[in-house]
Every structure is written in structure tokens, then in C-alpha cells.
Amino acid sequence: MFYLSLIEHTLRLPPHILHLPVDEAIKSELETLFLDKVIAKLGLCISVYDIRSIKGGFIFPGDGASTYTVEFRLIVFRPFIGEIIVAKLKESDASGLRLSLGFFDDIYIPAHLLPTPSRFEAIPNTRNQGRWIWDFGDAEEAQSEEPRFVIDGSDPIKFRVDSVIYPSIPLEQPENSKPFAPMVITGTINYDGLGPVSWWEEAEMIQEDE
């Protein structure tokens, strides 16, 4: 999920931070440039781990800044395909689920990757909002007034990473479209042991009763 990535970058230090020690000024500028940013094929930058080397310090004519070539390591978030991660429910609508890790919110579980059979139950007077229900068990139980296997955000959700993509930046954003996400994770919970963690406690109890 988390990796150390070695990066070399030509860095311009603006004049207003040149009074700081060089290491401190460079780390501050690297954090401004990289933290909470997504680098395509690399992942989401979480932290500057360390600075391996600093070269240069040139001041070009007509420019009050100094320029360095810096080699440093970043901690990046980049889950691998098939990885199991635990997240919290952020949104639920007819298209599926959106999950959050707190520091990253662009995780989607589309309807076709929910447990089979599942159904969406809309909340009255809301815009496409509701909850998903897994109809596990016999038909009579599935239609009961209070279904057992509901995704309502009350407990963490365990999912498996199905894909990680880095969309190209669009030239135009359609009106009312979702904000652009530079990294999108698609997951599935359509396997044993996945979904809200309480489900499997319930499933074990059902099997024991049988």
C-alpha cells in the first residue's frame, strides 16, 4: 500500500526562504510541491521521507532564487491489484459505493462488484441516495422488514483492489460533473470475507445455528 520512491528534482528556492538552513528550506519547498499530489503511475504523495543529496545552489542572472538538484525519497500511497484494504463508507447511491481512507476518498465499488444478489433501497426525498442490501439467505428472510446485511456505514468495509487508474486531465469539465480525480481505485466486495466486517460475524452465527 505504501512505498518509498526515489525522485530527482530541479528545485527553485524562492528568496523569502533563503534565510533558513538549506536542508530545512528544501524540505519545506518539496512538501509544498508534492504533498497530497498524485504523480501518475507513482501514486499519492504522503510525506517527504528523507533527502539523499543536494547539488547546485546556482543563482541565475536576473533571478534572486537559488536552484538546486535534489535527490529525495517520498512515501507514496499506491495499492496493488488484489490488495485487501479496510475503509469507511463515504457515499452510497444507485451506482454503488464510494469509500474513504481519510486521506484518500476516490475509492469506488460499482454495483456489479457488490455481493450477489444485492439491491439498492433509496432514501425518500433524497437525490439518488440510499443503502445497499445483500440478500443473503432464503427469500423469506431477504424480504424481512429489517434485513441483516446492510451497508450503512456503521462499521468498516473490507474490499479488494480491482484496478488503479490515473485519468488524463480533461480539457473541459462538464457542468455538474464530479471533481476531477487524478487517481481512482475501483474495488470489489463480491468475495467471502469482504464487505462490512460485521457481516462475517453474522454469517458465522448463522452457520453455527444451522
Side-chain angles (χ1 to χ4, degrees):
M1 184 188 302
F2 296 100
Y3 298 87
L4 278 178
S5 293
L6 182 64
I7 295 176
E8 184 177 274
H9 183 72
T10 300
L11 184 69
R12 179 182 180 275
L13 287 187
H16 71 272
I17 61 172
L18 292 180
H19 67 284
L20 298 172
V22 173
D23 285 4
E24 184 179 334
I26 285 176
K27 184 174 182 181
S28 174
E29 197 66 11
L30 289 174
E31 289 174 343
T32 300
L33 289 172
F34 288 96
L35 295 199
D36 294 326
K37 307 293 195 307
V38 170
I39 301 175
K41 309 302 180 183
L42 189 64
L44 174 67
C45 302
I46 301 296
S47 175
V48 176
Y49 183 75
D50 62 9
I51 297 173
R52 306 297 294 273
S53 69
I54 301 172
K55 299 176 183 177
F58 304 109
I59 298 178
F60 295 100
D63 187 0
S66 58
T67 301
Y68 296 87
T69 299
V70 184
E71 189 178 80
F72 61 101
R73 290 190 294 178
L74 281 173
I75 299 175
V76 296
F77 167 67
R78 186 181 71 249
F80 58 84
I81 306 302
E83 184 172 6
I84 305 299
I85 300 176
V86 178
K88 283 283 192 178
L89 180 66
K90 184 175 178 67
E91 296 175 6
S92 178
D93 60 28
S95 65
L97 310 176
R98 183 181 182 187
L99 308 182
S100 173
L101 293 172
F103 62 89
F104 184 80
D105 294 338
D106 293 305
I107 303 170
Y108 296 91
I109 314 292
H112 69 277
L113 293 178
L114 294 171
T116 304
S118 289
R119 57 188 168 90
F120 181 70
E121 186 178 84
I123 298 175
N125 302 318
T126 62
R127 186 179 179 182
N128 201 31
Q129 296 296 305
R131 62 179 188 171
W132 280 92
I133 298 167
W134 177 29
D135 286 332
F136 177 84
D138 58 40
E140 183 178 344
E141 186 177 275
Q143 298 301 321
S144 65
E145 291 184 5
E146 188 54 44
R148 290 185 178 183
F149 300 104
V150 177
I151 303 174
D152 58 8
S154 60
D155 55 357
I157 295 173
K158 189 180 292 186
F159 72 96
R160 193 184 78 173
V161 177
D162 192 63
S163 70
V164 181
I165 63 171
Y166 302 88
S168 300
I169 299 175
L171 297 177
E172 294 183 5
Q173 279 280 86
E175 191 174 352
N176 299 324
S177 64
K178 293 180 179 179
F180 172 71
M183 181 170 78
V184 177
I185 298 172
T186 300
T188 177
I189 59 173
N190 193 20
Y191 290 91
D192 288 352
L194 301 182
V197 295
S198 63
W199 279 7
W200 299 100
E201 297 170 359
E202 291 275 353
E204 288 175 4
M205 290 172 63
I206 291 173
Q207 290 178 349
E208 288 174 2
D209 290 343
E210 293 176 349

